[in-house]
PDB file of all heavy atoms in Angstrom:
ATOM      1  N   LYS G   7     -18.971  47.474 149.972  1.00 57.00           N
ATOM      2  CA  LYS G   7     -20.421  47.305 150.026  1.00 57.00           C
ATOM      3  C   LYS G   7     -21.024  47.126 148.636  1.00 57.00           C
ATOM      4  O   LYS G   7     -22.186  46.787 148.498  1.00 57.00           O
ATOM      5  CB  LYS G   7     -21.075  48.505 150.729  1.00 57.00           C
ATOM      6  CG  LYS G   7     -20.819  48.513 152.219  1.00 57.00           C
ATOM      7  CD  LYS G   7     -21.504  49.682 152.889  1.00 57.00           C
ATOM      8  CE  LYS G   7     -21.185  49.694 154.365  1.00 57.00           C
ATOM      9  NZ  LYS G   7     -21.779  50.841 155.051  1.00 57.00           N
ATOM     10  N   GLU G   9     -22.103  45.443 145.269  1.00 61.00           N
ATOM     11  CA  GLU G   9     -22.573  44.086 145.036  1.00 61.00           C
ATOM     12  C   GLU G   9     -21.477  43.233 144.413  1.00 61.00           C
ATOM     13  O   GLU G   9     -20.875  43.589 143.397  1.00 61.00           O
ATOM     14  CB  GLU G   9     -23.788  44.118 144.102  1.00 61.00           C
ATOM     15  CG  GLU G   9     -24.451  42.766 143.947  1.00 61.00           C
ATOM     16  CD  GLU G   9     -25.689  42.858 143.081  1.00 61.00           C
ATOM     17  OE1 GLU G   9     -26.451  43.831 143.238  1.00 61.00           O
ATOM     18  OE2 GLU G   9     -25.880  41.962 142.262  1.00 61.00           O
ATOM     19  N   GLY G  10     -21.167  42.110 145.047  1.00 63.00           N
ATOM     20  CA  GLY G  10     -20.190  41.184 144.517  1.00 63.00           C
ATOM     21  C   GLY G  10     -18.749  41.502 144.874  1.00 63.00           C
ATOM     22  O   GLY G  10     -17.844  40.761 144.536  1.00 63.00           O
ATOM     23  N   SER G  12     -15.399  41.891 147.212  1.00 69.00           N
ATOM     24  CA  SER G  12     -14.836  41.208 148.367  1.00 69.00           C
ATOM     25  C   SER G  12     -13.387  41.625 148.538  1.00 69.00           C
ATOM     26  O   SER G  12     -12.776  42.178 147.624  1.00 69.00           O
ATOM     27  CB  SER G  12     -14.924  39.690 148.193  1.00 69.00           C
ATOM     28  OG  SER G  12     -14.145  39.281 147.097  1.00 69.00           O
ATOM     29  N   THR G  13     -12.830  41.359 149.716  1.00 74.00           N
ATOM     30  CA  THR G  13     -11.435  41.696 149.941  1.00 74.00           C
ATOM     31  C   THR G  13     -10.548  40.719 149.197  1.00 74.00           C
ATOM     32  O   THR G  13     -10.934  39.579 148.931  1.00 74.00           O
ATOM     33  CB  THR G  13     -11.088  41.657 151.441  1.00 74.00           C
ATOM     34  OG1 THR G  13     -11.398  40.359 151.938  1.00 74.00           O
ATOM     35  CG2 THR G  13     -11.875  42.680 152.230  1.00 74.00           C
ATOM     36  N   LEU G  14      -9.346  41.171 148.845  1.00 72.00           N
ATOM     37  CA  LEU G  14      -8.389  40.318 148.160  1.00 72.00           C
ATOM     38  C   LEU G  14      -7.583  39.523 149.182  1.00 72.00           C
ATOM     39  O   LEU G  14      -7.264  40.032 150.253  1.00 72.00           O
ATOM     40  CB  LEU G  14      -7.422  41.161 147.328  1.00 72.00           C
ATOM     41  CG  LEU G  14      -8.018  41.976 146.200  1.00 72.00           C
ATOM     42  CD1 LEU G  14      -6.956  42.861 145.562  1.00 72.00           C
ATOM     43  CD2 LEU G  14      -8.644  41.082 145.157  1.00 72.00           C
ATOM     44  N   ASP G  28       6.469  52.414 137.519  1.00 79.00           N
ATOM     45  CA  ASP G  28       5.896  53.703 137.886  1.00 79.00           C
ATOM     46  C   ASP G  28       4.841  54.145 136.883  1.00 79.00           C
ATOM     47  O   ASP G  28       4.823  53.687 135.744  1.00 79.00           O
ATOM     48  CB  ASP G  28       6.998  54.762 137.933  1.00 79.00           C
ATOM     49  CG  ASP G  28       8.024  54.485 139.010  1.00 79.00           C
ATOM     50  OD1 ASP G  28       7.631  54.007 140.086  1.00 79.00           O
ATOM     51  OD2 ASP G  28       9.212  54.747 138.769  1.00 79.00           O
ATOM     52  N   LEU G  30       3.829  56.625 134.324  1.00 89.00           N
ATOM     53  CA  LEU G  30       4.587  57.550 133.477  1.00 89.00           C
ATOM     54  C   LEU G  30       3.684  58.227 132.456  1.00 89.00           C
ATOM     55  O   LEU G  30       2.751  57.615 131.952  1.00 89.00           O
ATOM     56  CB  LEU G  30       5.680  56.783 132.724  1.00 89.00           C
ATOM     57  CG  LEU G  30       6.694  56.020 133.566  1.00 89.00           C
ATOM     58  CD1 LEU G  30       7.562  55.157 132.671  1.00 89.00           C
ATOM     59  CD2 LEU G  30       7.538  56.969 134.373  1.00 89.00           C
ATOM     60  N   CYS G  32       4.211  59.744 128.830  1.00 93.00           N
ATOM     61  CA  CYS G  32       5.226  59.734 127.772  1.00 93.00           C
ATOM     62  C   CYS G  32       4.639  60.294 126.478  1.00 93.00           C
ATOM     63  O   CYS G  32       3.434  60.208 126.253  1.00 93.00           O
ATOM     64  CB  CYS G  32       5.720  58.308 127.537  1.00 93.00           C
ATOM     65  SG  CYS G  32       6.341  57.517 129.042  1.00 93.00           S
ATOM     66  N   PRO G  35       6.041  59.139 119.255  1.00 93.00           N
ATOM     67  CA  PRO G  35       6.683  59.801 118.115  1.00 93.00           C
ATOM     68  C   PRO G  35       5.740  60.698 117.316  1.00 93.00           C
ATOM     69  O   PRO G  35       6.172  61.688 116.739  1.00 93.00           O
ATOM     70  CB  PRO G  35       7.192  58.631 117.266  1.00 93.00           C
ATOM     71  CG  PRO G  35       7.411  57.527 118.245  1.00 93.00           C
ATOM     72  CD  PRO G  35       6.309  57.690 119.262  1.00 93.00           C
ATOM     73  N   GLY G  37       3.514  62.591 118.565  1.00 92.00           N
ATOM     74  CA  GLY G  37       3.144  63.739 119.385  1.00 92.00           C
ATOM     75  C   GLY G  37       2.025  63.472 120.367  1.00 92.00           C
ATOM     76  O   GLY G  37       1.766  64.300 121.242  1.00 92.00           O
ATOM     77  N   ARG G  39       0.114  61.724 123.598  1.00 92.00           N
ATOM     78  CA  ARG G  39       0.599  61.390 124.937  1.00 92.00           C
ATOM     79  C   ARG G  39      -0.057  60.107 125.404  1.00 92.00           C
ATOM     80  O   ARG G  39      -1.201  59.830 125.077  1.00 92.00           O
ATOM     81  CB  ARG G  39       0.258  62.505 125.925  1.00 92.00           C
ATOM     82  CG  ARG G  39       0.772  63.870 125.587  1.00 92.00           C
ATOM     83  CD  ARG G  39       2.177  64.171 125.967  1.00 92.00           C
ATOM     84  NE  ARG G  39       2.578  63.700 127.252  1.00 92.00           N
ATOM     85  CZ  ARG G  39       3.329  64.366 128.099  1.00 92.00           C
ATOM     86  NH1 ARG G  39       3.699  65.576 127.811  1.00 92.00           N
ATOM     87  NH2 ARG G  39       3.718  63.837 129.228  1.00 92.00           N
ATOM     88  N   ILE G  41      -0.344  57.672 129.069  1.00 89.00           N
ATOM     89  CA  ILE G  41      -0.063  57.525 130.496  1.00 89.00           C
ATOM     90  C   ILE G  41      -0.259  56.058 130.828  1.00 89.00           C
ATOM     91  O   ILE G  41      -1.321  55.489 130.577  1.00 89.00           O
ATOM     92  CB  ILE G  41      -0.997  58.411 131.346  1.00 89.00           C
ATOM     93  CG1 ILE G  41      -0.782  59.878 130.977  1.00 89.00           C
ATOM     94  CG2 ILE G  41      -0.766  58.167 132.826  1.00 89.00           C
ATOM     95  CD1 ILE G  41      -1.748  60.836 131.615  1.00 89.00           C
ATOM     96  N   GLU G  48      10.587  54.474 127.131  1.00 92.00           N
ATOM     97  CA  GLU G  48      10.866  53.609 125.980  1.00 92.00           C
ATOM     98  C   GLU G  48       9.973  52.371 126.012  1.00 92.00           C
ATOM     99  O   GLU G  48       9.431  51.964 124.990  1.00 92.00           O
ATOM    100  CB  GLU G  48      12.335  53.193 125.974  1.00 92.00           C
ATOM    101  CG  GLU G  48      13.279  54.305 125.595  1.00 92.00           C
ATOM    102  CD  GLU G  48      14.735  53.871 125.651  1.00 92.00           C
ATOM    103  OE1 GLU G  48      15.022  52.729 126.067  1.00 92.00           O
ATOM    104  OE2 GLU G  48      15.587  54.687 125.280  1.00 92.00           O
ATOM    105  N   VAL G  50       7.032  52.040 127.615  1.00 88.00           N
ATOM    106  CA  VAL G  50       5.641  52.462 127.425  1.00 88.00           C
ATOM    107  C   VAL G  50       5.376  52.782 125.955  1.00 88.00           C
ATOM    108  O   VAL G  50       4.383  52.353 125.384  1.00 88.00           O
ATOM    109  CB  VAL G  50       5.310  53.676 128.332  1.00 88.00           C
ATOM    110  CG1 VAL G  50       3.965  54.285 127.987  1.00 88.00           C
ATOM    111  CG2 VAL G  50       5.347  53.274 129.796  1.00 88.00           C
ATOM    112  N   ILE G  51       6.296  53.524 125.322  1.00 91.00           N
ATOM    113  CA  ILE G  51       6.135  53.889 123.917  1.00 91.00           C
ATOM    114  C   ILE G  51       6.108  52.636 123.044  1.00 91.00           C
ATOM    115  O   ILE G  51       5.265  52.514 122.146  1.00 91.00           O
ATOM    116  CB  ILE G  51       7.265  54.857 123.478  1.00 91.00           C
ATOM    117  CG1 ILE G  51       7.032  56.214 124.130  1.00 91.00           C
ATOM    118  CG2 ILE G  51       7.336  54.967 121.959  1.00 91.00           C
ATOM    119  CD1 ILE G  51       8.214  57.169 124.007  1.00 91.00           C
ATOM    120  N   GLY G  52       6.995  51.689 123.307  1.00 92.00           N
ATOM    121  CA  GLY G  52       7.021  50.449 122.529  1.00 92.00           C
ATOM    122  C   GLY G  52       5.748  49.643 122.663  1.00 92.00           C
ATOM    123  O   GLY G  52       5.351  48.927 121.743  1.00 92.00           O
ATOM    124  N   GLN G  53       5.088  49.766 123.805  1.00 90.00           N
ATOM    125  CA  GLN G  53       3.899  48.962 124.063  1.00 90.00           C
ATOM    126  C   GLN G  53       2.610  49.646 123.620  1.00 90.00           C
ATOM    127  O   GLN G  53       1.677  48.984 123.169  1.00 90.00           O
ATOM    128  CB  GLN G  53       3.831  48.641 125.556  1.00 90.00           C
ATOM    129  CG  GLN G  53       2.863  47.569 125.917  1.00 90.00           C
ATOM    130  CD  GLN G  53       3.023  47.143 127.376  1.00 90.00           C
ATOM    131  OE1 GLN G  53       3.656  47.845 128.180  1.00 90.00           O
ATOM    132  NE2 GLN G  53       2.454  46.043 127.732  1.00 90.00           N
ATOM    133  N   ALA G  56       1.704  53.916 118.334  1.00 84.00           N
ATOM    134  CA  ALA G  56       1.576  53.314 117.000  1.00 84.00           C
ATOM    135  C   ALA G  56       2.943  52.876 116.500  1.00 84.00           C
ATOM    136  O   ALA G  56       3.920  53.615 116.592  1.00 84.00           O
ATOM    137  CB  ALA G  56       0.950  54.311 116.039  1.00 84.00           C
ATOM    138  N   ASP G  58       3.835  52.234 113.385  1.00 60.00           N
ATOM    139  CA  ASP G  58       4.165  52.640 112.019  1.00 60.00           C
ATOM    140  C   ASP G  58       4.725  54.069 111.947  1.00 60.00           C
ATOM    141  O   ASP G  58       4.527  54.768 110.981  1.00 60.00           O
ATOM    142  CB  ASP G  58       2.952  52.501 111.104  1.00 60.00           C
ATOM    143  CG  ASP G  58       1.765  53.330 111.569  1.00 60.00           C
ATOM    144  OD1 ASP G  58       1.771  53.766 112.739  1.00 60.00           O
ATOM    145  OD2 ASP G  58       0.845  53.526 110.771  1.00 60.00           O
TER     146      ASP G  58
END
Side-chain angles (χ1 to χ4, degrees):
K7 288 182 182 178
E9 187 177 319
S12 64
T13 57
L14 297 174
D28 296 323
L30 302 171
C32 305
R39 303 277 318 221
I41 299 173
E48 288 178 355
V50 170
I51 289 168
Q53 194 170 16
D58 59 344

